[in-house]
Amino acid sequence: MLRTILLFAWILAACAAMFLIAQPVGTTGQLIISLSVIVMLTVISVLRLDGTWRHIFLAVASVIVLRYAFWRTTNTLPPADDLYSFIPALLLYGAEMYCILMLAISLFVVSDPIDREPAPQFPDEELPTIDVFVPSYNEGKEILALTLAAAKAMVYPKDKLRIYLLDDGGTLEKRNSPDPDVARTASIRHEELRTLCRQLGVRYHARAENRHAKAGNLNAGLEVSEGDLVVVFDADHAPEKNFLKETVGYFLEDPKLFLVQTPHFFANADPLERNLGTFGAMPSENEMFYHRIQKGLDRWNASFFCGSAAVLRRDALRQVGGFSGITITEDCETALELHSRGWTSIYVDKPLISGLQPDTLASFIGQRSRWCRGMIQIMLLRNPLLQPGLTFPQRLSYLSSNLFWMFPLVRLAFFAAPLLFILFDMKIYVASLDEFFAYTVTYLIVAEMVRTYLYGNVRWPWISELYEYIQTVFLVRAIISVFLSPRSPKFNVTEKGHAIEEDTLSELAWPYFAIFTLFCVSLAVAIYRYQTEPEISGLLLVVGAWNFLNVVIAGAALGVVIERKSEQDSHDLLAVGQCDLVVGEESVPVSVASISPTRARLIPARSAKLPDMRRGGKAILWRPEASPDGIISTLPVSYTGGREDDGSISVRFEPDTEHYAIIADLMMSDLSPARDARADRRKRRSIILSTWTLLAWALRYPPAAAWMAITGRRRGRNDPQPVGAVAPTPRGSAAKPEPGAA
């Protein structure tokens, strides 16, 4: 009875709101309403009010958004008989309505996020058996050795934990390939990784055929294992020691739980962060998804599998025939199928792994192309609105994740719209200057305030626009290809750990140059028309400002196509740990300040005298507690003997296979420093400072990129390409960004 009353009350409130939203108040009245709402939202934001105020903020902001949508629908479209203007106007209108729809769904998704309590702890005898899958295709031995050693070192009863390397690069099909180079490479890899697994004490499995990509590889792992739970780590995702302690207990509390997902945390910068120099200061791009959206999805039992750093129940997977392989995003598809069967999921917002992001723009675009195509495949082939068994909130949640990836088409409309008016005089937005400020400008301000209120400490202003522009240039064709042939996309592996030895221009740079030039030409035309056509000067001023914003974004993006020099081992993690640096008979206690798979920065005790390498002797790091069996306690290193300005010294590892246990221990025993650094990056930045930064990028990078293009410093088509990289038209290789990250 109470539920019926509440539903009736919601319907009455919605009807009353829609009635008020549709009332004509005139341009001056609309401006007063909008400014009043902006003041109210500013007060709530400045005072950092939350709880009930959060819902008030979103409800009041929605009034302005809906009033804009009503006015835009009823007052701004050109006459239908003027097809020259009406058709492009309708496309722009559709793009705007998509944004409003996505805003509405996103507000629902993140309206009441969950912060989970720590996992309950149980005695060893009650814990389930676990199989850890590390699927691999073309990753190097060193990356795999670290991940496997870290997985084996996880705190858990050893008789209940089995580690599997699932090698899709050394399958029987590849070893018997008619191409002798493919067969030789696969055979060498097969033997090398079998030896690696034997030395590390983990299990190696290579299936017969490469079918259904990663999903097929994981299902092959299910066939040769029998643990109650399955843990999946990507080949470059090394887990913290306490990963299982933080996740497994939930399964013993809820027999219908099929998934515990944790965030993907990355030790290195993505191409935008590295090339623009924002890594370490700006929140990472995936923070919006993993720290906000997944927690919102968790409220509606809709947090989904992200392909790695997750624990799944075997019985649930068995019920649906294993990992789904209809689309190339097997993770989200599998979660959708299991949610529709009544299984539940949990999201734990605590980074418990350290992984690698794509280093080059080409591999970044290839990765996002795969995510984009896969999510649209799900929308077309497994539409959540039509999937039986889902609750209404789950349908909206999955729809939000799928629809997000339509953003390239929307961005294309926003980039093209001012060009159509400036260059072709298409009247695609019929409004006076007063109406534009009263409705459009205030709507844009309110929308930005909503985004800042919800996501300000995990996404700076203008960064979404920049990331989306960079992807839009190539993803538009990827989207169209999926609509034309939904079952055609193929799974491409993303290259990671790729060294860039000198500053160079990405092989994908030329479309960005062309678009930037087009925007600049149209801006010049707008200025000329403003001076020669005074009768439309007001409209030209507005459209010219819009086009100028596009110029700024496109100019800043030219900084991203300049691939900055990096090192393959430049993936340092902040660390905590104590060990001894030993040279000959001399020993100095040191603290580990930061560490990567190949090197470490050490801080000797303040009064300690460093060993003199000139006396000879082999340098080692000694940590007797590193290995549970006490066998491996030393790590050979090269050491120059000199201190840095901060008093630290650097050593480079010279490991054999058995030494990866101590490297994993030093790196992954405690990720608290990395988590603290992640939290420190969550700092809000004002729209003024963000705008200034964007303008500075737009002024600085176009000349620099042009100079590199002129001098020929770019990666050529015949140079070695990372696997998974794409030519100017990506073939599709995603937490993906991250649904809802716009």
Side-chain angles (χ1 to χ4, degrees), residues 159-180:
D159 60 331
K160 294 186 175 184
L161 180 65
R162 293 179 293 271
I163 317 297
Y164 292 82
L165 174 62
L166 306 179
D167 179 25
D168 247 12
T171 59
L172 185 62
E173 177 185 2
K174 283 185 171 292
R175 301 199 304 272
N176 293 332
S177 171
D179 185 326

Side-chain angles (χ1 to χ4, degrees), residues 219-245:
N219 287 332
L222 290 175
E223 293 175 2
V224 298
S225 61
E226 56 186 19
D228 300 317
L229 303 179
V230 172
V231 179
V232 180
F233 296 125
D234 279 348
D236 58 291
H237 282 190
E240 186 183 47
K241 270 191 173 182
N242 287 330
F243 181 92
L244 298 177
K245 182 179 179 181

Side-chain angles (χ1 to χ4, degrees), residues 390-588:
L390 294 177
T391 65
F392 181 70
Q394 285 176 323
R395 295 182 194 278
L396 285 183
S397 297
Y398 274 103
L399 186 65
S400 172
S401 301
N402 298 152
L403 280 178
F404 164 77
W405 286 99
M406 297 294 290
F407 76 80
L409 298 181
V410 175
R411 287 289 168 193
L412 180 63
F414 292 158
F415 295 142
L419 302 180
L420 295 178
F421 177 77
I422 293 170
L423 302 179
F424 302 103
D425 203 29
M426 292 182 177
K427 307 297 190 296
I428 60 177
Y429 199 108
V430 180
S432 68
L433 196 59
D434 290 344
E435 289 174 326
F436 180 80
F437 279 101
Y439 285 92
T440 307
V441 172
T442 56
Y443 153 68
L444 293 174
I445 292 173
V446 167
E448 181 60 34
M449 293 181 74
V450 169
R451 185 161 60 180
T452 300
Y453 180 75
L454 293 176
Y455 308 115
N457 65 336
V458 293
R459 180 64 56 84
W460 288 354
W462 303 120
I463 296 301
S464 285
E465 285 77 6
L466 189 53
Y467 269 104
E468 290 185 7
Y469 168 74
I470 291 166
Q471 296 174 75
T472 292
V473 173
F474 291 105
L475 295 194
V476 167
R477 290 186 63 180
I479 293 173
I480 294 173
S481 70
V482 177
F483 273 99
L484 293 177
S485 182
R487 297 183 183 273
S488 64
K490 305 300 181 185
F491 189 104
N492 288 349
V493 177
T494 303
E495 173 75 4
K496 298 176 183 177
H498 184 91
I500 301 175
E501 296 180 355
E502 63 176 353
D503 288 359
T504 184
L505 203 61
S506 170
E507 64 268 36
L508 304 185
W510 294 112
Y512 297 95
F513 278 113
I515 295 170
F516 176 72
T517 302
L518 177 61
F519 287 158
C520 288
V521 169
S522 63
L523 184 61
V525 173
I527 294 172
Y528 173 78
R529 292 188 64 189
Y530 178 81
Q531 295 174 334
T532 59
E533 301 177 47
E535 66 277 7
I536 58 170
S537 59
L539 188 55
L540 275 168
L541 189 65
V542 170
V543 177
W546 184 356
N547 188 76
F548 175 74
L549 175 60
N550 290 341
V551 169
V552 171
I553 292 173
L558 289 178
V560 182
V561 306
I562 301 174
E563 304 274 25
R564 300 298 181 184
K565 179 180 178 181
S566 68
E567 297 180 6
Q568 190 169 4
D569 61 357
S570 61
H571 310 132
D572 293 0
L573 280 174
L574 296 178
V576 289
Q578 303 292 325
C579 50
D580 293 331
L581 177 66
V582 181
V583 180
E585 299 297 324
E586 298 182 75
S587 176
V588 175

Side-chain angles (χ1 to χ4, degrees), residues 120-174:
Q121 303 301 309
F122 293 87
D124 287 359
E125 59 271 16
E126 296 182 24
L127 294 175
T129 55
I130 292 178
D131 294 319
V132 177
F133 292 167
V134 180
S136 172
Y137 185 75
N138 63 350
E139 295 81 9
K141 175 184 174 182
E142 292 75 17
I143 289 177
L144 291 170
L146 177 65
T147 300
L148 293 170
K152 188 181 179 185
M154 289 188 296
V155 177
Y156 206 75
K158 297 307 175 184
D159 60 331
K160 294 186 175 184
L161 180 65
R162 293 179 293 271
I163 317 297
Y164 292 82
L165 174 62
L166 306 179
D167 179 25
D168 247 12
T171 59
L172 185 62
E173 177 185 2
K174 283 185 171 292

Side-chain angles (χ1 to χ4, degrees), residues 38 45 77 86-87 164 169 194 226 250 257 264 345 468 506 511 525 536 544 547 565 578 609 626 634 680:
I38 289 172
S45 297
L77 295 175
F86 182 74
I87 292 176
Y164 292 82
R194 277 209 311 178
E226 56 186 19
Y250 297 109
L257 179 67
H264 292 186
S345 62
E468 290 185 7
S506 170
V525 173
I536 58 170
N547 188 76
K565 179 180 178 181
Q578 303 292 325
K609 181 181 179 181
T634 61
D680 289 342

Side-chain angles (χ1 to χ4, degrees), residues 608-629:
K609 181 181 179 181
L610 294 177
D612 188 350
M613 285 293 291
R614 291 173 298 180
R615 298 180 185 177
K618 188 176 183 181
I620 60 172
L621 286 180
W622 180 58
R623 195 179 189 194
E625 71 275 16
S627 177
D629 54 18

